[in-house]
Amino acid sequence: MDSGNVAWILASSALVCMMIPALALFYGGMVGSRRILNMMMMCFGGASLVAVLWALFGYSMAFGNSVGGLGLIGDITEFPGMGQLLAADEAASIPVVLFAAFQLFFACVTTALVAGAAAGRMKFGAWMLFAGIWATIVYFPIAHWVFAFSSADGSVTGGWIASGIKAIDFAGGTAVHMNAGAAALALALVLGKSSGWPKMEHTKPHSRPLVLVGAGLLWVGWFGFNAGSALSAGQSASVVFLNTAVAASAGLLAWALVERLRHGAATSMGAASGLISALVAITPACGAVSPLGALAIGAIAGAVCSLAIELKFRLGYDDSLDVVGVHLVGGIIGTLLVGLFATDAAPNAVNGLFYGGGAELLGVQALATVTVLAYSFGITWILAKILDRLIGLRIKPEDEMRGIDIAAHSELAYLTDEDPVELGSPQRA
């Protein structure tokens, strides 16, 4: 084993783990002051549940040998409890158990992303049940499609996207961002609009500084997310690291410019959103493009996503924190633009249309995009509909108007002298 590679993936795993509280801060600042605790608890709670399921059977579903060689799902009986991973494979560059830990946080972050579409109006217990089932029937299978590669000797069969059509998704544009965005759209449609939507004084962002802090921490964590996916500390990780940095910067500037031209001011919320949209878009492409290609992808994502977030008002769906406009649209942009900007000088070593590679790669990327979107949206919509019929997903209207934090958690983030004593906490002098 290579100690440098091991150290880098250990550090990358910690960086991806940091994205969970970073996302909680980012989302938390975007909601009303009486919704922040619930929003953060949805991120932490959903992520924690998925980590437990990953250890029990999720890793096996995602990275076990493909059942029937079809590339659709891993063998759930291959690594139950992951005890089989404790024996070291001295021929591997990093321990398999470390790879399993690294990928665990991908599953956690993806599930937490979906919560943004349900901010302030979904029962916490219903969210937890939804999150566990969704990860099992949506994320784990799609992770197998995208991240599980067949072994060189043919003894292990991987997913149909990774090893069949060989679409490029370096760190999760399809499995993470498009998947979460499509699921968020389906959940938002089933939940319905928030009370008073779209003019809701009680749901306006209560802390823009928290949004910027969360976005900044997400940017740092993204280096582990993207560069860590090289699974080694070398040239590939270095190229991906640089591409991630410049794309994010271009996205922030592009969103700010569009805002300035359209609305007369570049806002802090726009800057944070532009940064994240570009990070989303560069995620699948970071190992396939040059720094100039990364700049183009980041700028395109920042500009297009700044327009895409307005679709919810035109089409009438309440995607509370713009998971659709940023993650779904950004993921599509990044995945498809691989087919245009990919260069064989980058780690993935393939050429896109602009580098003489023809349209074949673009077609492959489009097929992966359409399939992931259709599966994630369809299965999520069915799941949400079933749970809504069985247990109900929405909180009471009166609890929604006064803020979900007291109703769901018996707490408030910010107490004033006029507030009642918190229901679940002892009174303090």
Side-chain angles (χ1 to χ4, degrees):
M1 292 188 183
D2 187 302
S3 59
N5 292 342
V6 173
W8 169 236
I9 305 308
L10 283 168
S12 295
S13 300
L15 287 171
V16 181
C17 179
M18 187 185 71
M19 295 175 76
I20 299 167
L23 181 67
L25 289 171
F26 181 69
Y27 277 174
M30 293 174 70
V31 300
S33 62
R34 291 172 177 256
R35 292 179 164 200
I36 179 176
L37 294 180
N38 176 253
M39 190 69 260
M40 298 181 83
M41 282 291 289
M42 289 177 80
C43 292
F44 279 100
S48 298
L49 175 59
V50 171
V52 171
L53 299 181
W54 184 260
L56 294 176
F57 57 80
Y59 175 78
S60 199
M61 289 180 67
F63 291 100
N65 195 13
S66 187
V67 175
L70 299 176
L72 298 177
I73 192 71
D75 184 357
I76 196 172
T77 66
E78 191 168 353
F79 305 109
M82 299 200 298
Q84 301 86 340
L85 306 183
L86 299 182
D89 179 1
E90 297 301 332
S93 176
I94 64 170
V96 177
V97 70
L98 175 56
F99 173 76
F102 179 62
Q103 283 290 333
L104 175 151
F105 293 117
F106 278 62
C108 295
V109 169
T110 307
T111 305
L113 285 172
V114 181
R121 64 191 192 279
M122 187 174 184
K123 297 175 183 175
F124 184 68
W127 160 252
M128 293 295 289
L129 182 59
F130 169 87
I133 299 174
W134 182 85
T136 301
I137 64 176
V138 178
Y139 180 79
F140 297 159
I142 291 180
H144 182 75
W145 300 356
V146 175
F147 293 142
F149 289 87
S150 299
S151 61
D153 61 5
S155 60
V156 176
T157 304
W160 71 272
I161 289 178
S163 299
I165 65 173
K166 293 182 170 55
I168 293 176
D169 186 354
F170 197 86
T174 53
V176 176
H177 298 292
M178 278 196 287
N179 186 9
L185 177 58
L187 181 59
L189 291 174
V190 174
L191 275 173
K193 304 168 188 175
S194 299
S195 299
W197 189 88
K199 297 180 180 180
M200 304 177 295
E201 291 296 324
H202 60 289
T203 64
K204 286 185 176 180
H206 86 284
S207 178
R208 285 167 174 80
L210 277 187
V211 175
L212 285 170
V213 169
L217 292 174
L218 282 169
W219 192 2
V220 176
W222 229 291
F223 290 115
F225 198 88
N226 284 1
S229 293
L231 300 180
S232 64
Q235 178 68 13
S236 293
S238 302
V239 171
V240 168
F241 199 104
L242 175 60
N243 284 343
T244 301
V246 299
S249 302
L252 185 152
L253 295 175
W255 191 303
L257 178 60
V258 170
E259 271 196 325
R260 181 69 176 83
L261 294 174
R262 297 185 71 218
H263 305 297
T267 67
S268 60
M269 290 285 288
S273 299
L275 180 74
I276 300 303
S277 64
L279 287 167
V280 169
I282 198 59
T283 293
C286 55
V289 301
S290 69
L292 286 179
L295 284 171
I297 289 172
I300 292 169
V304 173
C305 290
S306 70
L307 304 175
I309 62 169
E310 298 179 7
L311 288 174
K312 63 183 181 182
F313 301 113
R314 296 185 181 184
L315 301 180
Y317 62 90
D318 181 7
D319 173 24
S320 305
L321 304 185
D322 297 317
V323 187
V324 177
V326 172
H327 293 274
L328 175 58
V329 175
I332 291 172
I333 290 171
T335 301
L336 293 181
L337 290 184
V338 169
L340 302 181
F341 290 104
T343 170
D344 62 6
N348 282 125
V350 293
N351 282 324
L353 186 62
F354 292 169
Y355 288 81
E360 181 180 354
L361 179 59
L362 181 59
V364 168
Q365 298 298 109
L367 176 59
T369 296
V370 171
T371 308
V372 169
L373 290 179
Y375 181 83
S376 180
F377 178 86
I379 300 301
T380 304
W381 189 86
I382 293 171
L383 170 61
K385 274 290 187 182
I386 291 173
L387 291 180
D388 195 34
R389 290 288 183 89
L390 293 178
I391 62 174
L393 298 179
R394 290 285 291 261
I395 61 173
K396 297 176 181 179
E398 57 268 27
D399 291 333
E400 188 177 333
M401 292 301 296
R402 69 173 181 159
I404 193 173
D405 286 355
I406 280 288
H409 308 289
S410 297
E411 295 176 304
L412 287 173
Y414 314 105
L415 283 173
T416 67
D417 292 339
E418 289 75 28
D419 286 316
V421 177
E422 296 179 65
L423 300 179
S425 304
Q427 185 172 8
R428 292 176 172 85

